[in-house]
Amino acid sequence: TILSDVMPREMRSPSYGLFLATYLFGFGFSQIMAKSLSHLTVAIAAAILLQMGCIFTVLIFRETLPEEARRKALSNRRCEEGNNSWGKIILRPLLELSILNRNTFFRLLAVISLCSGMIYSSDSTLIIYYMKNQLDIGYQSIATMFFVKSLVGVLVQIFLLKLVIGCLQEKRSLVLGLTFGAIHNVLWGVSTTQTGIFAGLIMSEFAGLHFPILVGMRSVNVGEEEQGRVQGAFFALAAIADAVGPVFLQSIYRETKDTIRPGPGFMFVVAGCVYLFGAVVACMLPADKANVTVASTAGDEDSERDPEGSHGLIMS
């Protein structure tokens, strides 16, 4: 929500991509630490870095939400809450999630976020266990592959994301990212060599195109005073998906790990189907709400043609 407060509408998806790139850069650097340091040293270094981030946030980082938007949000919240009862307090999480049912666009985004959340965060963990247990790939090789994967992700988010959005607009870019997610999961499912898995890891970073676009779509379709509430509801949904996804895929793995057909990689094929379903749902998004850049550009052009807007009509 901080980026939503300070970035113009048409730049929010690329700015979320830059934010994700910094995360991927740190993730890639952590692979070097894992290869060169002991487990205890890595844990100490991680604790120090987290404390530095906490201190920076408390002492240096400033509030980004405009004061007027903050007051409006507080006023709306007081009107909605009324008299707080124990029942309302207990049901508060479900009431907050109800914003996802606001309209068809939000419902479609919720389905896409659920599909993405079930698989996107689960892949990074499950593929490590799969490489180690099924293909007997060493941890040093795994760390190296994840380091290269992260560097590719940084390049994708910094240089490719904005270019793809400019050429395809947000809706088609979202479908493209989810399709890459389906392809790289199927590739993992059928690969029996380290080369095939590594190719899937590289392709998975192109699937990462969809994440900043999803966040940007949510951001531009609500007012400033609702940014935190909407993003919080979607991330709560993603947290539920993060919990369900690994359990769902591991249950498939337990049933197929000792079989020749469909084989232990079948869980990734199923994951690819979930991504593909998300891509199909993304095709149903209304273009006027999904294509943020085009809508913002059109609005700017209208303002330039009629700078006085409705006030000019009233004055005349």
Side-chain angles (χ1 to χ4, degrees):
T1 60
I2 292 173
L3 291 176
S4 301
D5 295 336
V6 299
M7 296 301 296
R9 293 164 56 90
E10 67 275 9
M11 289 299 295
R12 288 182 188 174
S13 292
S15 66
Y16 290 127
L18 291 175
F19 179 80
L20 181 58
T22 61
Y23 166 80
L24 291 171
F25 182 81
F27 183 81
F29 179 73
S30 70
Q31 307 306 309
I32 299 176
M33 294 175 58
K35 292 181 63 175
S36 58
L37 302 176
S38 66
H39 291 292
L40 178 60
T41 308
V42 170
I44 294 173
I48 293 173
L49 289 172
L50 287 172
Q51 291 302 316
M52 289 175 60
C54 181
I55 293 171
F56 176 83
T57 303
V58 173
L59 299 180
I60 300 176
F61 209 80
R62 297 182 299 172
E63 176 61 59
T64 57
L65 184 65
E67 183 64 23
E68 182 180 351
R70 187 184 69 85
R71 291 176 181 174
K72 186 175 180 181
L74 290 175
S75 176
N76 292 341
R77 179 56 56 87
R78 292 192 189 101
C79 292
E80 291 177 1
E81 289 178 349
N83 295 323
N84 275 329
S85 62
W86 283 107
K88 284 186 177 181
I89 294 174
I90 295 173
L91 295 176
R92 180 66 175 272
L94 295 178
L95 295 175
E96 292 295 336
L97 285 174
S98 65
I99 196 172
L100 304 180
N101 195 37
R102 169 177 288 182
N103 52 43
T104 301
F105 180 72
F106 271 58
R107 285 190 288 271
L108 292 174
L109 282 184
V111 174
I112 298 169
S113 297
L114 188 64
C115 294
S116 169
M118 284 182 62
I119 309 303
Y120 186 68
S121 60
S122 304
D123 274 351
S124 296
T125 303
L126 294 178
I127 192 61
I128 292 176
Y129 290 110
Y130 184 77
M131 286 190 288
K132 184 63 180 175
N133 296 333
Q134 292 295 329
L135 303 180
D136 197 26
I137 300 175
Y139 285 122
Q140 294 292 322
S141 297
I142 292 174
T144 301
M145 288 191 289
F146 269 78
F147 174 70
V148 176
K149 167 183 177 292
S150 299
L151 292 183
V152 172
V154 171
L155 296 176
V156 167
Q157 298 297 332
I158 293 178
F159 299 106
L160 188 61
L161 175 62
K162 189 175 181 180
L163 179 64
V164 170
I165 292 176
C167 295
L168 301 179
Q169 303 171 13
E170 283 82 359
K171 179 179 176 179
R172 293 175 183 172
S173 300
L174 177 61
V175 174
L176 179 66
L178 293 168
T179 303
F180 270 119
I183 294 172
H184 85 73
N185 270 281
V186 172
L187 182 59
W188 284 345
V190 300
S191 293
T192 57
T193 63
Q194 181 173 330
T195 302
I197 296 295
F198 182 60
L201 286 172
I202 298 301
M203 191 174 294
S204 69
E205 292 305 317
F206 292 89
L209 288 169
H210 82 275
F211 179 74
I213 295 174
L214 264 180
V215 180
M217 285 182 180
R218 305 168 197 160
S219 173
V220 299
N221 282 281
V222 294
E224 291 180 339
E225 71 281 359
E226 287 188 308
Q227 291 293 329
R229 184 181 179 188
V230 169
Q231 298 292 4
F234 273 101
F235 276 102
L237 181 66
I240 296 172
D242 288 347
V244 173
V247 175
F248 170 64
L249 294 179
Q250 285 178 347
S251 65
I252 297 174
Y253 177 71
R254 282 195 298 268
E255 297 296 327
T256 59
K257 65 179 181 179
D258 298 322
T259 64
I260 299 176
R261 292 287 185 276
F266 184 66
M267 64 175 175
F268 292 118
V269 177
V270 174
C273 293
V274 175
Y275 259 130
L276 190 61
F277 177 74
V280 172
V281 176
C283 292
M284 303 177 187
L285 291 170
D288 59 329
K289 291 182 177 294
N291 293 329
V292 178
T293 306
V294 175
S296 299
T297 304
D300 293 340
E301 291 176 352
D302 291 341
S303 298
E304 290 175 1
R305 294 192 193 101
D306 185 11
E308 295 182 351
S310 59
H311 296 290
L313 295 175
I314 295 173
M315 290 294 291
S316 61

